[in-house]
Amino acid sequence: MASATLTVERSVARAPSRAVSKAFDGAHRFLVPVLILVVWQALDSFGWINARLMPSPIRVAEAFWQLLVTGQLLGNLWISLVRVAVGLGIGVFLGIAFGLFAGLSRFGENTVDSTLQMVRTLPHLALIPLFILWFGIGETPKIALIALGSVFPVYLNLFAGIRAVDRKVIEAATTLDLTRAEIIWNVILPGALPSFLVGLRYAVGIAWLTLVVAEQVNANSGIGYLVMNARDFLETDVIFVGLIIYAILGLTTDQMVRAIERRALAWRPTFTDAQQPNRRAA
Amino acid sequence: MMTALQSHTPVLDEPRVTRGEAAVSIRGLTRSFGGPNILDDLDLELEAGSFTALLGRSGSGKSTLLRTLAGLDTAPAGTVSVPDRRAVVFQEPRLLPWKKVWRNVSLGLRRGDARARASAALSELGLSHRLDAWPLTLSGGEAQRVALARALVREPKLMLLDEPFAALDALTRLRMQALVGKLWQMHDLTVLLVTHDVDEALLLADRAVVLIDGRIGADVAIPLDRPRHHGDPEFIRLRQQLLGTLGIDENGLDGGG
Ligand SMILES: Nc1ncnc2c1ncn2[C@@H]1O[C@H](COP(=O)(O)OP(=O)(O)O)[C@@H](O)[C@H]1O
Ligand SMILES: [Mg+2]
């Protein structure tokens, strides 16, 4: 009896403290970044670090504001976004097309798989010089490079996803008198979707990485151009703005794919963020 | 000898099949996977409306035979005649995890009232509250009942069950056995139940056939009244007889050889 009372008291006492500790956890996560900003600002204000090489957070914020009001930021941001969207669109489209072709038929696999596996081993960024010679310095080489980088993760993961669909489930669907098209649509494609989405997240990451490199090697517009231009004039604050923009863009698009995952894979009762893929370099 | 799977022409809304008519007829079925024949010139007829248990040691070819009847095995030699409307339940539920329960059940139904029919089938199996659940949230017994509903909703003439209770816990298995017995009595069904459990065969079936060396090596009628009881002397006698055909004595030890 005494021990029962004790248990009740403890659980009552624990309830509010749990809420408090959760709020504390939330604040805790921001503690270190905020501290870094404060120390960084202080170092700059006291003149302990070279403000030319390492602008203070306030300077960076000012530069951000300047770029925003002069319209340079949004203009170049838009150009970069379009490059990624078009390149990624083409890459994902081709990745899906090849993935379906090779995944759904032995004929397709024999036709494209070995070729794609060979091309895949080539680091696509190494093609920049060639692409510049072939396509000049306009939009084409950048978009082509982004497309090339993003096609493989989509292809590989979709192909593997299709082939990994449980044969037993396909067999069960066959006994329900489904046509081949119905089995592909109801069984194989949904079964391959989780793997495809993993590939899509890789592709998005690679697309941004490719954009950064492509715009810094040759461009007269875009965020990468803004950054390289700033380097020529020693505007480190603008370089920082560019870095922050990249970080925000990468994070936003990754969250978008994860939102798609949460919706499309709602059938997984234990779908959690712990199942993120490990990031892989291009 | 290489006649492909033949089917009765489907007759919709035909009157209740009179017993005595063959629902399944197998002649000279032979199947090998490169080695010795797993099924070796096998003959078997199943009466319409009958409940037959197919027994046999592990690896004796029970699933191979059932897959042939289900149309899943594409290269059998021999003649197999089965009804067009067949349904299969496997040892695993084999549901599509990305479709809600009722969509799993209604998958492949061609008529418009799919949800209503799925709902009716699920209600019959006591699952009306799980219509919109995701399969991965179901218990093992619930998932297997969904698989049964998915089979039943097609109004099959022939129900093929491949050890459907083997993966369930003992209590759930008893409930599922009773349920299948009830479904067989309420619907116009021919049932072939693959099992390695002699008691299960004796509880449910009115005939037990034993697959030995690729053929039907024993064919035992089970003329017991229902509901059946393990303690019934006739039940005990039939158990010993069937265990004997499987080459096992009542202590579970290998008999001959
Ligand atoms: N697809 C297959 N390929 C090769 N061997 C198979 C295949 N299916 C079944 N077998 C073999 O056929 C034999 C009978 O299998 P099965 O019908 O599953 O037995 P049971 O269901 O009676 O346990 C086993 O030896 C098994 O290894
Ligand atoms: Mg088997």
Side-chain angles (χ1 to χ4, degrees):
Chain A
M1 193 61 204
S3 70
T5 318
L6 200 66
T7 321
V8 170
E9 275 172 6
R10 277 171 66 193
S11 69
V12 167
R14 207 180 285 147
S17 83
R18 202 174 288 148
V20 168
S21 87
K22 205 167 183 182
F24 179 76
D25 269 0
H28 195 176
R29 284 173 207 278
F30 288 102
L31 191 64
V32 172
V34 168
L35 216 64
I36 289 174
L37 283 179
V38 168
V39 171
W40 177 6
Q41 181 65 44
L43 288 175
D44 262 298
S45 306
F46 295 132
W48 286 342
I49 52 175
N50 186 343
R52 277 204 119 148
L53 298 181
M54 190 78 180
S56 73
I58 290 175
R59 281 280 329 259
V60 174
E62 282 169 2
F64 185 89
W65 181 249
Q66 275 303 313
L67 289 170
L68 200 62
V69 292
T70 58
Q72 289 181 73
L73 186 61
L74 292 184
N76 285 300
L77 179 62
W78 175 248
I79 287 169
S80 289
L81 276 175
V82 169
R83 285 172 185 155
V84 164
V86 175
L88 193 62
I90 294 172
V92 170
F93 176 81
L94 289 178
I96 292 176
F98 287 135
L100 291 179
F101 184 47
L104 293 177
S105 73
R106 204 54 66 181
F107 176 79
E109 182 184 353
N110 293 338
T111 310
V112 297
D113 189 59
S114 56
T115 311
L116 286 174
Q117 296 287 356
M118 276 191 291
V119 180
R120 172 180 83 98
T121 57
L122 199 67
H124 68 290
L125 294 176
L127 293 177
I128 289 181
L130 202 55
F131 274 28
I132 291 174
L133 288 178
W134 285 353
F135 305 120
I137 55 166
E139 295 305 305
T140 318
K142 301 173 190 62
I143 289 172
L145 207 61
I146 294 170
L148 185 66
S150 51
V151 71
F152 296 108
V154 172
Y155 167 76
L156 293 173
N157 284 284
L158 180 57
F159 178 69
I162 288 175
R163 289 301 168 88
V165 174
D166 190 353
R167 286 220 50 82
K168 291 182 161 186
V169 173
I170 297 175
E171 204 176 83
T174 315
T175 68
L176 304 178
D177 289 334
L178 298 190
T179 62
R180 173 145 172 86
E182 284 172 324
I183 287 179
I184 289 173
W185 182 250
N186 289 293
V187 184
I188 295 178
L189 294 186
L193 188 61
S195 180
F196 165 75
L197 288 172
V198 169
L200 186 61
R201 281 182 69 192
Y202 282 137
V204 169
I206 288 173
W208 285 117
L209 185 72
T210 310
L211 178 83
V212 171
V213 177
E215 285 187 342
Q216 291 190 0
V217 171
N218 88 86
N220 45 27
S221 58
I223 296 294
Y225 165 76
L226 212 59
V227 169
M228 290 318 282
N229 211 26
R231 187 200 61 182
D232 293 344
F233 295 100
L234 275 178
E235 292 168 346
T236 41
D237 46 357
V238 175
I239 296 179
F240 269 85
V241 172
L243 295 182
I244 292 169
I245 297 287
Y246 281 138
I248 293 173
L249 288 173
L251 198 66
T252 310
T253 45
D254 198 62
Q255 291 294 327
M256 280 162 62
V257 179
R258 281 169 62 178
I260 296 174
E261 277 184 346
R262 268 193 295 276
R263 266 193 65 87
L265 308 182
W267 50 269
R268 288 186 181 180
T270 55
F271 184 80
T272 60
D273 291 343
Q275 286 172 310
Q276 302 172 34
N278 292 320
R279 290 251 154 222
R280 210 170 44 179
Chain B
M1 262 321 255
M2 283 297 293
T3 314
L5 200 68
Q6 293 175 346
S7 296
H8 295 319
T9 41
V11 184
L12 292 171
D13 302 319
E14 79 188 64
R16 219 189 131 81
V17 180
T18 47
R19 304 215 167 178
E21 191 181 320
V24 172
S25 169
I26 304 169
R27 294 249 169 276
L29 177 60
T30 299
R31 180 71 163 106
S32 73
F33 296 96
N37 286 345
I38 301 300
L39 301 179
D40 188 11
D41 195 18
L42 180 144
D43 295 333
L44 178 66
E45 297 224 340
L46 299 184
E47 223 174 72
S50 65
F51 194 132
T52 307
L54 175 62
L55 291 160
R57 288 186 158 194
S58 173
S60 59
K62 303 184 295 294
S63 296
T64 304
L65 175 54
L66 186 122
R67 289 167 52 82
T68 304
L69 295 180
L72 288 172
D73 197 356
T74 45
T79 314
V80 176
S81 160
V82 287
D84 256 351
R85 294 218 303 276
R86 290 161 294 180
V88 193
V89 178
F90 302 93
Q91 182 171 334
E92 326 81 24
R94 302 197 187 183
L95 304 176
L96 304 180
W98 43 85
K99 286 191 180 290
K100 298 212 163 147
V101 161
W102 80 266
R103 287 208 176 270
N104 263 281
V105 173
S106 67
L107 193 64
L109 293 184
R110 309 286 172 197
R111 281 191 269 144
D113 54 349
R115 185 173 161 108
R117 288 171 63 194
S119 171
L122 284 162
S123 298
E124 189 168 357
L125 288 145
L127 283 171
S128 44
H129 59 298
R130 294 303 241 152
L131 240 60
D132 290 306
W134 293 112
L136 292 184
T137 66
L138 302 176
S139 72
E142 284 175 330
Q144 200 60 318
R145 275 187 284 159
V146 174
L148 267 176
R150 181 173 68 178
L152 208 59
V153 78
R154 270 142 253 284
E155 296 167 11
K157 290 276 174 226
L158 175 64
M159 180 87 103
L160 301 162
L161 308 172
D162 194 352
E163 307 199 27
F165 317 122
L168 302 175
D169 66 84
L171 273 177
T172 311
R173 185 181 315 142
L174 286 176
R175 290 182 50 209
M176 291 285 289
Q177 286 168 346
L179 194 57
V180 165
K182 197 186 87 186
L183 292 175
W184 171 66
Q185 283 177 332
M186 294 182 50
H187 296 263
D188 174 23
L189 270 181
T190 309
V191 178
L192 181 65
L193 169 71
V194 168
T195 178
H196 54 246
D197 180 348
V198 169
D199 280 22
E200 185 170 286
L202 291 173
L203 275 176
L204 290 171
D206 44 29
R207 176 187 177 200
V209 295
V210 185
L211 198 53
I212 301 169
D213 297 332
R215 298 176 191 212
I216 302 303
D219 191 339
V220 178
I222 308 172
L224 300 174
D225 292 335
R226 295 165 202 269
R228 294 170 174 175
H229 304 286
H230 290 82
D232 185 340
E234 184 60 11
F235 191 107
I236 294 169
R237 193 191 63 74
L238 283 166
R239 178 200 285 137
Q240 302 220 347
Q241 184 185 346
L242 283 174
L243 285 173
T245 62
L246 290 166
I248 298 167
D249 71 21
E250 59 199 302
N251 299 315
L253 299 172
D254 271 4

